[in-house]
């Protein structure tokens, strides 16, 4: 008799003041079922699932908060509500992003074929055609932008971390690099357009100008992330090198930059993946063309983002063909950015010097 | 002998050192020059627009330059503000989920996914917004207008194609969500382990730990992320949206620049200058807030 009550008491003390999982599951089912059926009854057909989910989450939060406050007290109730909020907002945030990826893949695959990667848009009026000219243009312009901005960016980062010991120039420079990260991409395009208008003649569009505009956007990103990477190099390495009588510039090149090589590669590739999808500046300074153009220095050059925009915004007949090309271009663009992104991380892992 | 001892040799300045340090200084100065050139060129090209006959500035024949640019500037700031309002709580919560709530192994995978989504080009978001989001959001607008129409704010007919500034702001919000989440995640990840463990050891619930250790530590980072992410995001997605009636500066330039000439180009440049000034002001505000807050944050 007494042992059984003790047992009961013990199981009670362990479970006391806690919501049982069963209770929460039933509250969850209730919270989903009520808006679903109420809306179904009101609207007549299956309601928008996103709206149902939204109402269900709010309902569940209220139910959980109230019951938990009664059973478990205020602190734990708050914790439970916030946990639910965090998890559900994660799920909610994923919905549009998954929808985006799904749409691009589903619609992009219709024209993701050989001729899309093998043909330009020259003399194409309706169906067919491809984005080869735009892909080549994007690769050339991005390559050129990288060639311009990587040395400038990394050297500036080296100056900031290795040479400037908090002097006035470095303070001004770091503030201005921050300002530069905030330059809207369209302003970079306008700046290059203004420059070209003055030096060459108004309305000039070439691939090289596009690369310059992208460099304006790329340099600050490279500087910022390269600086972070160089700062991670332990000071002991520099001091060891100096102690061996190695000149400063050799130390910087062979010790500091070598140690940070992986991080620098990653930061450069991430910077590329940021600018490869830029549309606005290229629209202004690199221009539109349906033809192949391998020459960065003369004539307009098509790029992939501009191609996507152009095919969608300036549709001819039949419009489906233009839509399909636009989505296929979008898919190619996403894939390019992803390959760069994943590649950057893999390279970063592979190249990083073994510290253990 | 004694004279030589007092004569400490000066360290030799090597040619390599000199060249390398000069080159790196030069790279830094080049950045200053470029930024100055951006400001100077934009201003120089904008000046004619301020003094020209306002009727020639655009096909809509505005009464003055400011009448031309003010609605665009307002549209830009308003859309950015709405987007931030939607996106900021979400990205903080998602970043918290990834860093503090999700199991470790899953968290790394989510981190990668977010980083990849952050690299999706804006033009793709714009395309998705106009083709998928705008049509599917119209019923919600209609419902709001029907149910809450008695509030003056929600009265009036709903745009049939859903291409409103709110839709644009939602697309912008979705677009900046992964970028901002990635930034917040980095900040939260750097919360000192000791602060977290100390909070938990004192018996804090997980939320109390987040509130007392993670959020105070990350606050300047969050503010900086929010302000910084918006400026590169003033992008082309709007151009796809409002093809007849662009209502942000960036969209207006992107749409009209290729067909403009003469004084209209100057007007577009002038609006670009104003966008530049707005961005820099917001940026400086962000840095000022971060600096002011940094002193009181949990970081020290």
């Amino acid at each position: 008799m007494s042992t059984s009550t003790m047992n009961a008491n013990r199981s009670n003390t362990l479970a006391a003041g806690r919501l049982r999982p069963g209770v929460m599951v039933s509250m969850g089912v209730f919270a989903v079922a009520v808006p679903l059926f109420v809306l179904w009854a009101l609207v007549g057909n299956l309601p928008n699932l996103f709206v149902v989910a939204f109402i269900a989450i709010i309902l569940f939060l209220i139910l959980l908060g109230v019951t938990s406050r009664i059973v478990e007290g205020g602190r734990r109730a708050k914790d439970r509500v916030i946990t639910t909020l965090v998890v559900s907002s994660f799920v909610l945030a994923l919905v549009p992003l998954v929808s985006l990826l799904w749409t691009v893949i589903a619609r992009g695959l219709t024209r993701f074929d050989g001729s899309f990667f093998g043909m330009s848009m020259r003399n194409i009026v309706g169906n067919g055609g491809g984005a080869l000219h735009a892909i080549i243009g994007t690769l050339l312009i991005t390559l050129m932008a990288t060639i311009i901005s990587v040395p400038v960016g990394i050297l500036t980062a080296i100056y900031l971390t290795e040479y400037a010991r908090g002097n006035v120039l470095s303070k001004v420079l770091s503030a201005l690099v921050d300002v530069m990260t905030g330059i809207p991409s369209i302003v970079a395009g306008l700046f290059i357009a203004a420059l070209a208008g003055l030096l060459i003649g108004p309305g000039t569009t070439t691939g090289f100008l596009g690369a310059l505009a992208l460099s304006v956007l790329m340099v600050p990103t490279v500087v910022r992330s390269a600086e972070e990477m160089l700062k991670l190099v332990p000071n002991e390495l520099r001091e060891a090198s100096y102690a061996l009588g190695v000149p400063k510039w050799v130390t910087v090149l062979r010790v500091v930059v070598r140690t940070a090589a992986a991080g620098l590669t990653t930061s450069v590739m991430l910077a590329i993946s940021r600018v490869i999808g830029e549309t606005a500046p290229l629209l202004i300074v690199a221009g539109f063309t349906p033809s192949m153009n391998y020459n960065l220095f003369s004539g307009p050059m098509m790029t992939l983002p501009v191609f996507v925009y152009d095919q969608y915004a300036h549709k001819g007949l039949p419009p489906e063909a233009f839509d399909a090309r636009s989505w296929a271009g979008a898919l190619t663009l996403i894939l390019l950015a992803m390959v760069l992104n994943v590649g950057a991380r893999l390279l970063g892992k592979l190249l990083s010097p073994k510290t253990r | 002998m004694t004279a030589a001892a007092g004569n400490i040799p000066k360290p030799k300045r090597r040619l390599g050192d000199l060249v390398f340090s000069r080159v790196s200084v030069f790279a830094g100065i080049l950045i200053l020059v470029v930024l100055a050139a951006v400001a100077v060129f934009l201003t120089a090209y904008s000046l004619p627009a301020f003094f020209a006959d306002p009727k020639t500035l655009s096909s809509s024949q505005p009464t003055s330059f400011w009448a031309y640019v003010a609605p665009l500037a307002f549209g830009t700031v308003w859309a950015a503000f709405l987007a931030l309002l939607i996106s900021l709580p979400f990205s903080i919560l998602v970043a918290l989920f990834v860093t503090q709530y999700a199991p470790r192994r899953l968290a790394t995978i989510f981190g990668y996914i977010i980083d990849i989504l952050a690299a999706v080009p804006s033009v793709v978001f714009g395309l998705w917004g106009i083709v998928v989001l705008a049509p599917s959001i119209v019923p919600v607008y209609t419902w709001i207008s029907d149910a809450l129409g008695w509030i003056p704010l929600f009265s009036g007919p709903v745009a049939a194609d859903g291409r409103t500034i709110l839709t644009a702001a939602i697309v912008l919000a979705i677009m900046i969500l992964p970028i901002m989440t990635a930034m917040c995640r980095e900040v939260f990840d750097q919360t000192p382990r000791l602060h977290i463990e100390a909070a938990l050891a004192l018996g804090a619930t997980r939320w109390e730990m987040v509130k007392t250790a993670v959020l105070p530590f990350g606050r300047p980072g969050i503010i900086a992320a929010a302000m910084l992410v918006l400026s590169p995001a003033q992008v082309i997605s709007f151009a796809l949206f409002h093809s007849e009636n662009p209502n942000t500066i960036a969209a207006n330039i992107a749409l009209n620049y290729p067909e403009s000439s003469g004084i209209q180009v100057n007007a577009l440049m002038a609006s670009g200058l104003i966008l530049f000034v707005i961005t820099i002001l917001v940026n400086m505000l962000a840095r000022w807030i971060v600096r002011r807050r940094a002193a009181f944050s949990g970081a020290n």
Side-chain angles (χ1 to χ4, degrees):
Chain A
M1 181 76 186
S2 69
T3 44
S4 76
T5 40
M6 269 183 73
N7 276 345
N9 274 344
R10 191 185 292 154
S11 65
N12 270 351
T13 43
L14 280 178
R18 285 296 196 118
L19 277 185
R20 298 216 187 91
V23 177
M24 294 208 284
V25 170
S26 49
M27 279 197 296
V29 171
F30 179 77
V32 174
V34 166
L36 185 67
F37 289 114
V38 167
L39 279 178
W40 206 330
L42 283 179
V43 182
N45 48 10
L46 195 68
N48 190 333
L49 289 179
F50 202 69
V51 175
V52 172
F54 198 73
I55 300 174
I57 287 171
I58 293 174
L59 202 60
F60 182 70
L61 281 177
I62 296 171
L63 274 177
L64 183 71
V66 171
T67 21
S68 174
R69 178 170 281 274
I70 294 167
V71 181
E72 299 177 320
R75 283 177 61 209
R76 212 167 275 282
K78 206 175 209 174
D79 187 47
R80 280 202 192 276
V81 168
I82 303 266
T83 306
T84 319
L85 202 63
V86 164
V87 175
S88 51
S89 64
F90 173 73
V91 176
L92 269 187
L94 274 189
V95 171
L97 297 170
V98 169
S99 151
L100 171 99
L101 288 183
W102 171 251
T103 318
V104 172
I105 293 170
R107 298 196 187 208
L109 280 180
T110 46
R111 271 307 313 279
F112 206 68
D113 50 24
S115 70
F116 185 77
F117 293 101
M119 289 172 75
S120 71
M121 287 300 292
R122 193 179 176 86
N123 298 331
I124 303 275
V125 273
N127 286 306
L132 184 62
H133 60 311
I135 295 169
I136 298 285
T138 287
L139 293 180
L140 283 177
I141 289 179
T142 316
L143 182 71
M144 193 70 205
T146 312
I147 292 174
I148 298 170
S149 46
V150 166
V152 176
I154 290 187
L155 279 170
T156 307
I158 288 177
Y159 172 72
L160 285 177
T161 52
E162 306 296 321
Y163 286 94
R165 291 183 200 84
N167 60 14
V168 180
L169 177 63
S170 78
K171 275 186 189 139
V172 172
L173 198 57
S174 43
L176 287 185
V177 167
D178 282 341
V179 170
M180 239 177 130
T181 16
I183 292 186
S185 58
I186 193 122
V187 170
L190 283 181
F191 159 59
I192 299 296
L195 192 74
L198 198 76
L199 297 181
I200 312 169
T204 323
T205 53
T206 68
F208 184 68
L209 293 179
L212 283 180
L214 290 190
S215 316
V216 172
L217 297 171
M218 235 177 120
V219 165
T221 338
V222 175
V223 174
R224 264 286 151 270
S225 44
E227 207 190 334
E228 295 302 317
M229 296 302 160
L230 293 178
K231 274 185 193 158
L232 287 179
V233 176
N235 246 340
E236 286 82 355
L237 287 182
R238 296 185 181 90
E239 282 156 11
S241 173
Y242 294 148
L244 291 172
V246 180
K248 183 160 189 172
W249 70 284
V250 182
T251 306
V252 170
L253 275 186
R254 301 290 293 273
V255 177
V256 178
V257 172
R258 174 65 196 88
T259 314
L264 292 177
T265 321
T266 317
S267 53
V268 166
M269 284 177 81
L270 289 181
I272 297 175
S273 78
R274 282 276 158 81
V275 297
I276 205 165
E278 278 300 343
T279 322
L282 296 177
L283 200 67
I284 292 175
V285 291
F288 303 85
T289 172
S291 319
M292 302 292 297
N293 179 4
Y294 292 102
N295 190 347
L296 278 168
F297 295 93
S298 91
M301 198 178 224
M302 201 60 163
T303 48
L304 213 39
V306 177
F307 176 82
V308 172
Y309 166 73
D310 182 48
Q311 291 292 319
Y312 187 85
H314 308 129
K315 275 183 217 160
L317 286 171
E320 297 80 37
F322 286 82
D323 267 344
R325 278 195 293 264
S326 179
W327 284 108
L331 181 58
T332 320
L333 206 51
I334 286 192
L335 286 178
L336 263 179
M338 274 185 188
V339 165
L340 276 169
N341 218 297
V342 174
R345 276 159 220 288
L346 284 183
L347 260 182
K349 277 230 172 91
L350 285 179
L351 287 181
S352 59
K354 307 280 171 288
T355 44
R356 270 181 280 268
Chain B
M1 255 240 178
T2 43
N7 210 358
I8 300 162
K10 273 190 174 173
K12 210 172 91 192
R13 201 76 167 117
R14 291 187 190 81
L15 184 67
D17 259 345
L18 202 67
V19 170
F20 195 70
S21 67
R22 285 293 143 79
V23 168
S24 61
V25 172
F26 176 76
I29 290 174
L30 189 67
I31 291 183
L32 299 189
V33 171
V34 168
L35 196 68
V38 172
V40 169
F41 272 89
L42 277 181
T43 317
Y45 261 75
S46 311
L47 281 180
F50 291 103
F51 303 115
D53 177 16
K55 290 214 174 358
T56 57
L57 290 180
S58 130
S59 49
S60 59
Q61 302 202 331
T63 50
S64 77
F65 173 74
W66 297 109
Y68 166 67
V69 99
L72 295 172
F74 172 75
T76 306
V77 174
W78 184 232
F81 174 74
L82 284 179
L84 200 58
L85 207 63
I86 300 169
S87 175
L88 187 61
F90 268 108
S91 49
I92 293 175
L93 289 175
V94 175
L96 279 181
F97 175 78
V98 172
T99 54
Q100 311 295 333
Y101 285 82
R104 262 276 145 264
R105 193 171 289 264
L106 276 181
T108 350
I109 299 173
F110 288 147
Y112 276 124
I113 295 177
I114 290 169
D115 282 348
I116 287 175
L117 282 170
V120 171
S122 57
V123 67
V124 181
F125 277 101
L127 201 59
W128 173 81
I130 197 173
V131 173
V132 179
L133 185 73
S136 61
I137 211 166
V138 172
V140 179
Y141 288 169
T142 320
W143 181 79
I144 291 179
S145 164
D146 287 349
L148 304 174
W150 48 275
I151 304 173
L153 185 64
F154 297 117
S155 66
V158 171
D161 55 1
R163 296 182 194 178
T164 63
I165 198 155
L166 181 58
T167 316
I170 293 175
V171 174
L172 187 54
I174 294 171
M175 178 158 65
I176 61 180
L177 181 70
I179 307 176
M180 222 152 72
T181 307
M183 289 167 113
C184 288
R185 188 177 70 93
E186 263 167 42
V187 177
F188 291 161
D189 254 344
Q190 282 164 10
T191 315
R193 195 78 230 155
L194 276 177
H195 291 202
I196 295 176
E197 277 164 10
L200 291 176
L202 287 173
T205 60
R206 201 189 286 242
W207 160 242
E208 284 162 350
M209 180 274 285
V210 167
K211 197 175 69 178
T212 52
V214 179
L215 288 183
F217 179 81
R219 196 176 294 127
I222 296 170
I223 298 171
M227 302 270 188
L228 289 182
V229 92
L230 271 178
S231 27
Q234 297 299 342
V235 268
I236 199 81
S237 62
F238 295 128
L240 289 160
F241 266 93
H242 305 278
S243 17
E244 313 81 41
N245 182 21
N247 50 19
T248 65
I249 291 177
N252 183 49
I253 298 171
L255 273 174
N256 292 329
Y257 191 87
E259 282 100 45
S260 296
S261 61
I263 191 75
Q264 295 188 353
V265 175
N266 297 100
L268 291 176
M269 291 273 183
S271 69
L273 179 69
I274 283 165
L275 181 61
F276 184 50
V277 171
I278 294 175
T279 320
I280 288 183
L281 287 182
V282 170
N283 221 307
M284 284 176 162
L285 184 70
R287 312 230 165 258
W288 182 72
I289 293 173
V290 172
R291 233 178 302 133
R292 213 177 48 124
R293 290 279 182 157
F296 306 108
S297 81
N300 39 29

